[in-house]
């Protein structure tokens, strides 16, 4: 999916959730690992029919949203993401006048940007249309190219290269891509690894696979914010943002952002 290399069987996991078996008809999930970049993907999820995949996502996400089971899943740090965008926008590092949150789910980030920072963040999601206050949903035929494309907690749900490229295709030639997902040095060979707990997680990225992916897409540098757990991928060389990022860190009197040429491998030891 990332580097067009061969994959090998890695491990399997049995899901005990009744709705997983009821929706998919399977219990055991098989994971395969790329022999080159270490990217891991669930072959079981990839082989699911689209309607089964959509129903599985609905069953998982809808019950957590409706019942407020936030402690059961690792929700994105939405308020920290909103603050990160406000900081970067105010310093003209990202353009918030031409922006979209793609695969935004229930629009939580958009809500917080609107309420606390008075920033309008249009959203799109192929499966969810919410009536939440302060959230402006776009239809598929309204999508365009954007200076800033945000994608939170989708990269672990992909089942094909098309899923990834459809996000990148929204980024303008002079735009940036902001992603929130888990990236580590090596995916553990462990069916009890915490990031496998949501049965809708199908893809797991490494520092090497993300470096390859961003280079394929034409991004040259990146920054990472540990507090928002987001990467920003830039077309420009790192020199274009290095001084501004240093100024923000000095102003905040803490390292809010790390930046470098290529992909910021912040989770190198994990």
């Amino acid at each position: 999916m990332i580097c067009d290399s061969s994959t090998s069987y890695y491990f399997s996991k049995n899901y005990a959730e009744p709705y997983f078996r009821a929706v998919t008809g399977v219990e055991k999930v098989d994971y395969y690992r790329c022999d080159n970049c270490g990217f891991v993907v669930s072959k079981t999820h990839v082989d699911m029919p689209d309607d089964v995949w959509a129903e599985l996502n609905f069953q998982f996400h809808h019950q957590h949203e409706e019942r407020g089971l936030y402690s059961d899943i690792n929700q994105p740090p939405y308020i920290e993401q909103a603050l990160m965008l406000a900081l970067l926008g105010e310093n003209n590092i990202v353009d918030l006048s031409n922006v979209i949150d793609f695969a935004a789910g229930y629009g939580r980030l958009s809500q917080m940007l609107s309420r606390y920072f008075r920033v309008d963040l249009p959203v799109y999601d192929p499966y969810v249309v919410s009536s939440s206050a302060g959230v402006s949903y776009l239809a598929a035929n309204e999508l365009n190219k954007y200076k800033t494309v945000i994608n939170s907690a989708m990269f672990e749900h992909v089942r094909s290269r098309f899923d990834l490229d459809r996000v990148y295709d929204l980024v303008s030639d002079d735009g940036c891509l902001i992603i929130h997902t888990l990236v580590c040095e090596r995916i553990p060979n462990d069916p009890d690894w915490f990031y496998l707990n949501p049965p809708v997680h199908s893809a797991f990225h490494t520092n090497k696979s993300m470096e390859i992916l961003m280079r394929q897409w034409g991004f040259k540098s990146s920054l990472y914010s540990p507090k928002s757990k987001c990467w920003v991928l830039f077309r420009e060389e790192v020199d274009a943002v290095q001084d501004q990022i240093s100024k923000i860190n000095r102003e905040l009197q803490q390292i809010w952002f790390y930046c470098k040429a290529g992909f910021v491998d912040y989770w190198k030891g994990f």
Side-chain angles (χ1 to χ4, degrees), residues 136-193:
S136 173
Y137 274 83
L138 300 177
N141 62 1
E142 296 178 289
L143 295 177
N144 210 321
K145 294 279 189 178
Y146 301 89
K147 287 284 192 70
T148 303
V149 175
I150 303 166
N151 183 257
S152 185
M154 192 203 90
F155 270 46
E156 63 271 31
H157 294 263
V158 299
R159 298 187 300 147
S160 70
R161 181 55 185 256
F162 171 79
D163 295 332
L164 292 169
D165 286 337
R166 70 190 299 204
V167 179
Y168 163 71
D169 287 341
L170 294 171
V171 184
S172 65
D173 291 342
D174 57 349
C176 69
L177 174 61
I178 301 175
I179 58 174
H180 163 76
T181 189
L182 183 145
V183 182
C184 51
E185 184 69 10
R186 183 178 183 273
I187 307 304
N189 186 341
D190 179 7
D192 294 324
W193 185 41

Side-chain angles (χ1 to χ4, degrees), residues 4-259:
D4 203 26
S5 300
S6 60
T7 60
S8 302
Y9 172 78
Y10 203 32
F11 63 87
S12 297
K13 179 181 178 65
N14 292 323
Y15 279 101
E17 291 88 346
Y19 72 85
F20 183 84
R21 296 194 301 273
V23 171
T24 67
V26 300
E27 181 175 325
K28 183 171 72 75
V29 177
D30 297 325
Y31 298 90
Y32 282 70
R33 181 176 181 268
C34 176
D35 298 329
N36 176 46
C37 70
F39 173 81
V40 172
V41 65
S42 162
K43 188 176 185 299
T44 305
H45 286 80
V46 168
D47 291 342
M48 284 181 188
D50 290 344
D51 59 336
V52 172
W53 172 242
E55 180 62 21
L56 179 63
N57 276 274
F58 175 80
Q59 291 286 345
F60 177 77
H61 288 290
H62 187 68
Q63 70 165 323
H64 284 86
E65 288 288 339
E66 288 298 308
R67 294 166 57 192
L69 301 178
Y70 307 119
S71 62
D72 291 359
I73 57 176
N74 188 21
Q75 286 289 81
Y78 292 120
I79 192 63
E80 289 86 352
Q81 291 178 356
L83 177 55
M84 177 198 74
L85 289 169
L87 287 168
L88 295 177
E90 187 66 26
N91 286 277
N92 298 314
I93 297 173
V94 303
D95 188 341
L96 296 183
S97 68
N98 183 228
V99 59
I100 189 172
D101 188 356
F102 182 85
Y106 293 84
R108 302 304 180 197
L109 177 58
S110 180
Q111 281 183 304
M112 293 186 186
L113 274 172
S114 175
R115 178 175 179 181
Y116 296 110
F117 299 99
R118 303 297 184 266
V119 173
D120 180 34
L121 174 61
V123 304
Y124 170 79
D125 193 283
Y127 301 111
V128 177
V129 175
S130 172
S131 58
S132 302
V135 180
S136 173
Y137 274 83
L138 300 177
N141 62 1
E142 296 178 289
L143 295 177
N144 210 321
K145 294 279 189 178
Y146 301 89
K147 287 284 192 70
T148 303
V149 175
I150 303 166
N151 183 257
S152 185
M154 192 203 90
F155 270 46
E156 63 271 31
H157 294 263
V158 299
R159 298 187 300 147
S160 70
R161 181 55 185 256
F162 171 79
D163 295 332
L164 292 169
D165 286 337
R166 70 190 299 204
V167 179
Y168 163 71
D169 287 341
L170 294 171
V171 184
S172 65
D173 291 342
D174 57 349
C176 69
L177 174 61
I178 301 175
I179 58 174
H180 163 76
T181 189
L182 183 145
V183 182
C184 51
E185 184 69 10
R186 183 178 183 273
I187 307 304
N189 186 341
D190 179 7
D192 294 324
W193 185 41
F194 83 99
Y195 212 54
L196 296 171
N197 289 340
V200 290
H201 284 184
S202 56
F204 308 92
H205 303 264
T206 66
N207 288 314
K208 184 175 180 180
S209 71
M210 288 301 300
E211 174 78 29
I212 292 171
L213 184 63
M214 69 170 287
R215 294 293 187 181
Q216 289 174 347
W217 283 342
F219 296 109
K220 297 178 180 177
S221 62
S222 64
L223 67 78
Y224 179 68
S225 167
K227 293 186 183 297
S228 68
K229 294 182 170 61
C230 283
W231 282 268
V232 184
L233 310 184
F234 296 107
R235 305 282 195 192
E236 301 87 355
E237 300 289 353
V238 69
D239 294 346
V241 297
Q242 190 100 52
D243 289 345
Q244 292 166 289
I245 294 302
S246 296
K247 288 177 182 178
I248 295 174
N249 287 336
R250 286 197 299 270
E251 179 184 23
L252 300 178
Q253 298 187 25
Q254 57 182 302
I255 301 179
W256 238 82
F257 298 105
Y258 295 83
C259 63

